[in-house]
Amino acid sequence: MEESSKLALVQEEKWLTQYEPQIQRRFDRYQEAIREIEDFSGNIIEYASVHNFFGIHFEAWRKGWVYREWAPAAKQLYFFGDFNGWNRSSHPMKKSGRGDWEIFLPYEQYKDHFIHGSKVKVHVVTEKNALDRIPAYIRRVIQDETTYDVAGQLWFAEEFKWSDQSFSTKKSLEQPLIYECHVGMAQEKMGVGTYQEFEAFTLPRIKAAGYNTIQLMAVMEHPYYGSFGYHVSNFFAPTSRFGTPEELKSLVNKAHQMGIAVVMDIVHSHAIKNVNEGLNEFDGSQHQYFHPGERGYHEAWDSKVFDYSKREVQQFLLSNIRYWLEEFHFDGFRFDGVTSIMYLHHGLFMDFDSVDLYFDHNVDEDAILYLQLANTLIHTLKPENISIAEDMSGMPGLARPIAEGGIGFDFRMAMGVPDFWIKTLKHKQDEEWDMFELWHQLTNRPQAERSIGYAESHDQALVGDQTLAFRLMKEQMYFSMSVLQQNLAVDRGVALHKLIRLITLTLGGEGYLNFIGNEFGHPDWVDFPRAGNDWSYMHARRQWSLVDDPLLRYGHLDAWDKAIIKLANEYMLLALAPAVQLYLDPDKKILAYERGGLIFVFSFHPTESILGLPVHVPVAGKYKILLDSDEKEYGGFQRLDQKIVYPTDKKQRLELYVPNRTAVVLKME
């Protein structure tokens, strides 16, 4: 193949040259799939419209409701619920030759019984049993507080009036500053937070903090609250435990009014194995939505694995994407478990230490194709929609356009960065921190792919792990965070927490993510109510009173986070070229670099302050301190004079005083 005809991924990444046939084959297969979709449906948007066919809909032209379900292996389906006194046999459904089942309910006959808020199920008779199931495309699911029975709920609410027509995700696409959050645990009360409470109390905090994007977790219905929303049962139903669909829409609408994009944490990597609530063995077979046998079971997650090769499964998942974007005005998705999607081994016990692993027989090429189709749909519906991949394998081209040989995501999560911080804090004394390793870990990423850098997400905050703040300060967080007392462990923790967050923000990617509460060093891990903690909400909430108390040092960390996010916003730092290293001293633990015309100087030394540090800068002139982590408002010791002007010398160097455990940002006057 001539050089000019090669895909850009292969042309620019010479280390992939020997894998050109596999990469080209992926692209060719994608093009063939698009042609087949166009022949079958006209375009990918129509292909992703089966949610408007299946499920429960009012058809005005027929003057009644129709319910359709895809269940090819089932022997018989019966629709039942409040509308027929829960009679499992009075309303049989008719089967088509394609494996679709249908029943029609005339309006005049059912208008007083088939009503908003009433409950429904479908009774599925199979070769081996007969079970009551939840319709696969149901829009709302509720659980009886007394019997704990789960049922679908008819939801015929008035159409929500949106006022976000002028909202644009331009800033989020250029420089996503993401606030990862969970509605249920976003309040301080001992209980489950609601969409309304989040809109009223949490959104204003996020706006004040300067983040331009929120990433909402646990949106799709999930029976077990403690799964963090990752064991999904009903893919088209926003979880009812937080409120109504209209209240979720109001939350998104309000965020847009505030100029904040809303990205949904979407789970297409697996599904709950429950038969009472989920899709598993819906028509009695193992192979309807999922792979049969061992391949269809995710051992580590105790869940079911989708068969991405089946047209009906593709349409189910793609329609799910379209539904959330159009019905709830989400601005895109963070795809969970992309590593698990792409590989037959799901990335379990893999180091990915060989390029061969990205292209060998363990790669699920059907899953790769699905991800390409998903990204095509997302950006066809609206080009400025955002897609983010959570992948720890390092799949080449994951966040490159499909036309270049990639998979089409806009961003990839820089999952190695939080791992680096955890390993450093767990296994190294402060004196052992390696500045060369730090620089390498924070900058070593594909230059043609945009990454979301982060020091910690929800993964690092879960029970059994520790947040960065807790690793740094341990139990002292509970006793020694008063501004009226001095504590060496807290002084160290506060200083390093600030440095870690600023250097991760400015070095770690083209976007940045923070998990709710971590910006002010929330002291506790996250642990949802479960038998092991006596069903307590103690650790499934956010203690905003800590950061609001002027006598506690949490406010110092919060002020610092606001300052660095403001810095990124004002200078659009993450949208600019990567940082250029200016100075590195492994013994003094000093690292300096330039990004966006600003000079960043970090001292990670535990005890030694440096006087007259010579830092060569790209442009000669006079420089002043723009931001200083040692200021008192950030919990520092005020060792630097903000009024001092630093002129460059004849060698174009700045001579700086850099206190230990301090970060300084300078700008030329």
Side-chain angles (χ1 to χ4, degrees):
M1 185 179 292
E2 295 181 5
E3 183 71 21
S4 60
S5 64
K6 288 182 179 180
L7 294 166
L9 177 62
V10 180
Q11 286 189 44
E12 297 171 14
E13 307 289 348
K14 300 301 183 184
W15 56 283
L16 293 175
T17 300
Q18 70 182 97
Y19 304 99
E20 182 184 341
Q22 293 96 316
I23 296 170
Q24 184 66 47
R25 189 159 55 245
R26 284 180 186 174
F27 179 66
D28 293 342
R29 192 160 181 244
Y30 162 78
Q31 288 187 306
E32 178 61 28
I34 290 293
R35 284 192 291 268
E36 290 177 0
I37 285 171
E38 291 173 348
D39 290 342
F40 183 74
S41 300
N43 57 57
I44 195 167
I45 294 177
E46 286 304 310
Y47 187 69
S49 63
V50 295
H51 61 298
N52 293 323
F53 178 78
F54 292 114
I56 301 165
H57 304 281
F58 184 79
E59 295 188 341
W61 66 277
R62 294 174 71 180
K63 296 182 180 178
W65 292 274
V66 64
Y67 165 48
R68 300 187 186 93
E69 196 71 71
W70 174 61
K75 304 296 289 183
Q76 181 62 55
L77 268 63
Y78 298 90
F79 192 34
F80 71 115
D82 288 333
F83 72 94
N84 71 348
W86 294 92
N87 188 322
R88 288 186 175 86
S89 59
S90 64
H91 286 69
M93 300 175 68
K94 294 181 180 179
K95 186 180 183 182
S96 73
R98 300 174 302 177
D100 302 340
W101 297 80
E102 180 176 322
I103 188 171
F104 179 73
L105 305 178
Y107 174 76
E108 286 300 328
Q109 184 179 347
Y110 289 93
K111 64 182 180 181
D112 296 326
H113 307 287
F114 202 72
I115 59 175
H116 174 72
S118 59
K119 295 187 288 187
V120 294
K121 288 189 180 185
V122 58
H123 188 65
V124 183
V125 180
T126 71
E127 291 280 3
K128 58 183 180 180
N129 58 31
L131 292 173
D132 298 342
R133 306 299 299 261
I134 308 296
Y137 287 81
I138 198 74
R139 304 291 178 91
R140 182 165 167 85
V141 174
I142 58 172
Q143 186 174 36
D144 189 283
E145 294 182 0
T146 304
T147 65
Y148 299 107
D149 181 61
V150 177
Q153 187 178 40
L154 300 179
W155 201 255
F156 304 146
E158 290 185 14
E159 186 173 347
F160 182 80
K161 292 179 173 60
W162 294 92
S163 60
D164 62 349
Q165 291 78 9
S166 63
F167 176 72
S168 169
T169 60
K170 184 174 182 289
K171 287 184 178 179
S172 295
L173 267 174
E174 289 178 344
Q175 176 181 255
L177 300 171
I178 303 172
Y179 197 87
E180 183 187 36
C181 43
H182 181 285
V183 169
M185 58 167 286
Q187 307 308 316
E188 187 153 357
K189 66 181 182 181
M190 294 280 196
V192 180
T194 67
Y195 298 126
Q196 288 183 318
E197 289 171 331
F198 191 94
E199 178 181 334
F201 305 120
T202 311
L203 274 180
R205 288 183 180 273
I206 299 170
K207 174 66 175 177
Y211 291 86
N212 59 29
T213 308
I214 58 173
Q215 180 180 303
L216 274 188
M217 305 177 67
V219 175
M220 296 189 285
E221 191 60 84
H222 48 290
Y224 180 45
Y225 189 44
S227 75
F228 231 136
Y230 289 124
H231 270 196
V232 174
S233 54
N234 313 101
F235 284 75
F236 290 85
T239 180
S240 60
R241 60 168 53 87
F242 303 152
T244 68
E246 287 67 43
E247 288 165 353
L248 173 58
K249 291 176 182 179
S250 179
L251 187 164
V252 175
N253 193 55
K254 186 65 174 180
H256 287 168
Q257 291 174 359
M258 292 179 168
I260 299 171
V262 187
V263 169
M264 176 176 156
D265 202 339
I266 197 167
V267 185
H268 283 182
S269 47
H270 63 134
I272 197 166
K273 70 176 184 180
N274 300 24
V275 294
N276 290 326
E277 300 96 346
L279 299 171
N280 191 17
E281 299 182 17
F282 190 93
D283 68 354
S285 71
Q286 287 190 344
H287 58 270
Q288 184 185 1
Y289 287 96
F290 311 110
H291 288 289
E294 290 186 7
R295 185 174 174 185
Y297 178 65
H298 198 302
E299 186 175 359
W301 294 347
D302 191 29
S303 56
K304 300 297 293 183
V305 178
F306 285 107
D307 181 353
Y308 302 101
S309 70
K310 295 180 76 168
R311 175 173 58 82
E312 294 87 353
V313 176
Q314 277 187 4
Q315 288 189 283
F316 176 83
L317 295 173
L318 291 172
S319 296
N320 191 237
I321 286 172
R322 181 180 174 186
Y323 168 73
W324 291 110
L325 291 174
E326 292 186 337
E327 184 69 20
F328 290 89
H329 288 207
F330 280 102
D331 301 298
F333 303 98
R334 178 264 199 185
F335 278 73
D336 175 69
V338 169
T339 307
S340 182
I341 293 175
M342 294 190 296
Y343 303 94
L344 300 180
H345 50 60
H346 306 303
L348 300 174
F349 312 113
M350 299 294 296
D351 291 331
F352 291 97
D353 53 358
S354 168
V355 184
D356 292 341
L357 298 175
Y358 302 128
F359 304 102
D360 68 11
H361 64 282
N362 281 310
V363 177
D364 187 344
E365 295 295 340
D366 295 322
I368 297 286
L369 175 60
Y370 167 67
L371 292 173
Q372 291 175 315
L373 294 176
N375 279 302
T376 299
L377 174 65
I378 289 167
H379 297 112
T380 300
L381 285 166
K382 191 184 289 184
E384 59 267 30
N385 280 335
I386 304 163
S387 67
I388 304 168
E390 185 213 29
D391 169 46
M392 48 75 64
S393 74
M395 171 66 77
L398 183 67
R400 290 192 68 151
I402 298 167
E404 296 180 1
I407 298 177
F409 286 97
D410 295 308
F411 297 91
R412 62 193 308 159
M413 302 293 290
M415 298 186 72
V417 174
D419 287 347
F420 163 73
W421 287 122
I422 296 299
K423 290 175 183 176
T424 299
L425 291 174
K426 281 179 70 173
H427 302 299
K428 290 187 177 182
Q429 299 294 321
D430 293 2
E431 294 80 5
E432 298 172 330
W433 285 28
D434 186 334
M435 296 296 102
F436 289 104
E437 182 187 23
L438 192 158
W439 174 266
H440 174 76
Q441 291 292 341
L442 291 179
T443 61
N444 182 34
R445 57 183 180 273
Q447 292 303 303
E449 301 187 45
R450 295 191 292 172
S451 297
I452 304 293
Y454 59 109
E456 52 185 340
S457 68
H458 72 273
D459 286 327
Q460 287 71 42
L462 288 170
V463 64
D465 210 333
Q466 298 173 354
T467 62
L468 286 180
F470 196 82
R471 285 189 185 280
L472 287 164
M473 293 177 271
K474 303 296 184 184
E475 65 278 357
Q476 296 298 324
M477 298 196 75
Y478 300 116
F479 310 112
S480 305
M481 290 294 282
S482 170
V483 298
L484 303 177
Q485 68 182 110
Q486 198 77 29
N487 182 284
L488 292 177
V490 171
D491 288 344
R492 168 186 178 267
V494 168
L496 288 178
H497 196 271
K498 291 182 291 185
L499 267 60
I500 288 171
R501 299 184 84 77
L502 177 61
I503 201 167
T504 301
L505 169 69
T506 54
L507 272 191
E510 290 69 43
Y512 178 73
L513 177 140
N514 162 72
F515 179 64
I516 181 171
N518 285 3
E519 71 275 14
F520 65 84
H522 201 280
D524 295 326
W525 57 89
V526 176
D527 187 11
F528 287 92
R530 57 187 174 87
N533 63 17
D534 294 326
W535 303 101
S536 170
Y537 287 93
M538 176 63 74
H539 299 293
R541 62 193 184 116
R542 297 287 88 175
Q543 298 181 63
W544 302 109
S545 58
L546 296 175
V547 70
D548 292 340
D549 189 336
L551 294 179
L552 295 178
R553 299 187 68 177
Y554 296 103
H556 294 153
L557 295 178
D558 186 63
W560 176 251
D561 197 74
K562 285 184 170 72
I564 65 175
I565 295 298
K566 181 182 179 184
L567 184 77
N569 274 316
E570 287 187 358
Y571 293 90
M572 290 301 293
L573 283 173
L574 309 191
L576 301 174
V580 177
Q581 188 184 124
L582 303 176
Y583 187 96
L584 190 152
D585 189 318
D587 297 322
K588 293 184 173 64
K589 311 296 181 196
I590 298 286
L591 179 60
Y593 52 88
E594 177 271 335
R595 190 172 189 182
L598 303 182
I599 308 300
F600 296 83
V601 183
F602 288 81
S603 168
F604 286 92
H605 202 284
T607 58
E608 186 179 350
S609 298
I610 310 299
L611 184 62
L613 181 77
V615 177
H616 184 275
V617 293
V619 181
K622 296 179 179 179
Y623 288 77
K624 289 197 70 173
I625 294 176
L626 188 63
L627 188 61
D628 162 23
S629 70
D630 200 46
E631 288 187 66
K632 280 190 176 180
E633 65 176 300
Y634 308 132
F637 298 97
Q638 205 77 44
R639 290 171 288 179
L640 289 166
D641 187 346
Q642 302 288 322
K643 298 177 183 177
I644 292 180
V645 175
Y646 298 90
T648 51
D649 63 14
K650 294 180 180 179
K651 296 182 179 180
Q652 207 165 301
R653 298 178 307 180
L654 298 174
E655 290 194 359
L656 303 172
Y657 169 53
V658 185
N660 67 304
R661 289 190 183 135
T662 296
V664 183
V665 183
L666 300 106
K667 180 187 177 184
M668 189 170 71
E669 285 191 307

